[in-house]
Structure formats: C-alpha cells, structure tokens
C-alpha cells in the first residue's frame, strides 16, 4: 500500500527566513505533485515533478525530487505572509493515475 | 475557458437520505476522481473513472457509488448518508500529468 508522509504537519515561519517541507513516500514512483490550498478553497497545482533529480522553482518556492530516496522537498526562501496556506504532496498510485496525498503541511508566516 | 464545476457547493442532509453530488468538466478529460477531505487526513480517494462506463473503488469507497455515462460528468451518490460522511468533497479530472480540482462541496449529515 502506497503511503505518503509529510513533515512537519505545522510550521510557524518568520518572515525572511528559509524553511523546508519534506515528503516521503513508500513505493516506487517517478511522479510527484505539490499543491497549495488556501482556507476554504480548492487545491491549486504548484509543481509536477516527473523524474529523478527534477527541480522546479516558482518565486520563493522550489521543489525537488529524489526517486531513489523516495523523497521530495519543498524549499521556501525568505518566507512572506502570502505563503501562508496548506501544502500537499501527492504521488501517483501504482496504476499511474490516481493520486495518494500526504496529510498536508500548514504554514503560517508571522512578522 | 474549460473548467470543472461541482454542485451543490453546500449541502445539509439527514442521516439515511440519499444524496448525489454533481461534478462536470469541460476539458474532455477521460480521467475523473472523487476525494474527500477531512481534518488530519488530507485528501482520500473515494472512486475514480478512466472513461465512459468505467468506475473503480478508491481507498474509502464504502457507502459511495459513482456512474459514468458520458465524458463530462461523474456524479457521486451516497446511498444512505451517515454522519461519518460529513466532509468536504472534491472532484478532479486529468489527462496526462496533472489533476485539476473543482471548487469542492461541503456536505453536512445531521
């Protein structure tokens, strides 16, 4: 059974500091997804990582994938209040279509 | 613009009633999914479909059913609603690498 674990589940961040969220998964998969969810809203796609060593960056967020370690990281550079949200990682199941989600990491940025 | 919609956005019902949540997408995607989101659990897969007349059970399918009679729609039915089915339900569709999510339906079962 494919399991996806995120840590930490909650992260209180100070503005302008750097942080990392970790996403571990239990079986072989080459595709990993990061989503953002604001309170009461739907999920917004952030990154799609399709192969070992993939790295993608958008603004202050950078995601990477190590399929050998079954680990993805979401790095936040110089946190700002606008990044406060819940971030989910998800991995494709072995059939290659449905997504299995982690429990999410809720980020709160304070000045 | 192509999109994915869900209706109703909010629903309150009573235990034992049958409830159907609608999901409609205009991307012509073959793959469609239903998830539920509960605090502390993230999103969990209920049912999914790879195309017309195809349906598959997900992780938490008990008490739910789906049918796929056309490409655009995947309605989710709760045959006899239970309080444990109070949740936020998200529909998604995909073709290729990325899933796109609908706005969600908040269902309360009293």
């Amino acid at each position: 059974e494919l399991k996806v674990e995120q840590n930490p589940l909650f992260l209180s961040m100070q503005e302008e500091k750097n942080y990392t969220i970790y996403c571990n998964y239990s079986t072989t998969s080459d595709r990993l997804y990061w989503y953002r969810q604001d309170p009461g809203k739907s999920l917004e796609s952030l990154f799609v990582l399709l192969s070992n060593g993939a790295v993608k960056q958008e603004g202050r967020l950078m995601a990477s994938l190590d399929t050998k370690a079954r680990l993805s990281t979401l790095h936040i550079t110089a946190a700002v209040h606008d990044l406060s949200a819940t971030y989910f990682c998800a991995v494709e199941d072995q059939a290659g279509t449905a997504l299995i989600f982690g429990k999410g990491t809720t980020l709160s940025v304070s000045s | 613009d192509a999109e994915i919609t869900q209706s109703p956005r909010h629903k309150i019902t009573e235990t034992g009633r049958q409830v159907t949540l609608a999901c409609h997408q205009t991307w012509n995607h073959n793959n469609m999914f239903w998830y539920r989101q509960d605090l502390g659990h993230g999103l969990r897969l209920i049912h999914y479909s790879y195309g017309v007349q195809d349906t598959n059970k997900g992780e938490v399918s008990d008490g739910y059913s789906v049918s796929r009679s056309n490409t655009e729609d995947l309605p989710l039915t709760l045959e006899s609603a239970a309080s444990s089915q109070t949740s936020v339900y998200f529909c998604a569709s995909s073709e290729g690498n990325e899933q796109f999510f609908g706005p969600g339906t908040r269902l309360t079962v009293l």
Side-chain angles (χ1 to χ4, degrees):
Chain A
E1 179 188 350
L2 175 58
K3 293 187 178 180
V4 181
E5 293 187 351
Q6 289 182 236
N7 70 84
L9 297 182
F10 300 95
L11 185 54
S12 180
M13 306 189 293
Q14 292 183 331
E15 282 185 332
E16 300 304 316
K17 291 198 172 180
N18 303 333
Y19 297 88
T20 301
I21 302 171
Y22 299 91
C23 175
N24 292 90
Y25 54 97
S26 61
T27 64
T28 302
S29 178
D30 288 337
R31 298 186 177 189
L32 190 134
Y33 303 80
W34 284 97
Y35 288 88
R36 169 180 171 145
Q37 186 181 36
D38 292 295
K41 302 294 186 181
S42 186
L43 280 78
E44 172 191 355
S45 179
L46 290 175
F47 300 111
V48 180
L49 303 172
L50 297 177
S51 61
N52 187 42
V55 177
K56 290 199 173 179
Q57 183 163 5
E58 180 73 33
R60 299 173 186 269
L61 300 178
M62 184 175 70
S64 64
L65 177 62
D66 182 343
T67 59
K68 294 179 181 178
R70 298 177 186 171
L71 171 68
S72 179
T73 60
L74 182 65
H75 187 71
I76 300 148
T77 302
V80 293
H81 183 74
D82 286 352
L83 293 179
S84 295
T86 298
Y87 294 80
F88 292 93
C89 66
V91 177
E92 280 189 351
D93 67 3
Q94 292 180 327
T97 303
L99 293 181
I100 307 300
F101 282 81
K103 292 185 178 181
T105 297
T106 299
L107 305 185
S108 175
V109 181
S110 59
S111 53
Chain B
D1 285 344
E3 62 177 355
I4 181 166
T5 58
Q6 294 183 233
S7 63
R9 296 294 312 280
H10 301 271
K11 174 79 176 177
I12 299 174
T13 191
E14 295 177 343
T15 301
R17 290 190 179 266
Q18 183 181 79
V19 176
T20 297
L21 309 183
C23 175
H24 179 81
Q25 52 98 1
T26 58
W27 284 298
N28 206 35
H29 288 165
N30 281 321
N31 304 329
M32 295 185 72
F33 310 85
W34 275 104
Y35 297 88
R36 60 177 287 173
Q37 184 176 27
D38 304 287
L39 205 59
H41 288 280
L43 278 81
R44 292 181 290 175
L45 184 64
I46 305 172
H47 281 285
Y48 57 101
S49 168
Y50 294 158
V52 176
Q53 302 301 329
D54 176 76
T55 61
N56 305 279
K57 294 182 178 181
E59 177 188 359
V60 290
S61 60
D62 287 349
Y64 303 94
S65 64
V66 293
S67 61
R68 187 88 180 271
S69 58
N70 59 54
T71 302
E72 296 80 16
D73 299 289
L74 186 69
L76 177 71
T77 298
L78 288 68
E79 301 293 344
S80 177
S83 58
S84 60
Q85 294 177 308
T86 292
S87 187
V88 179
Y89 291 85
F90 287 101
C91 177
S93 71
S94 75
E95 194 75 45
N97 297 330
E98 195 168 354
Q99 285 193 21
F100 299 92
F101 284 80
T105 295
R106 183 174 296 275
L107 176 67
T108 302
V109 183
L110 301 176

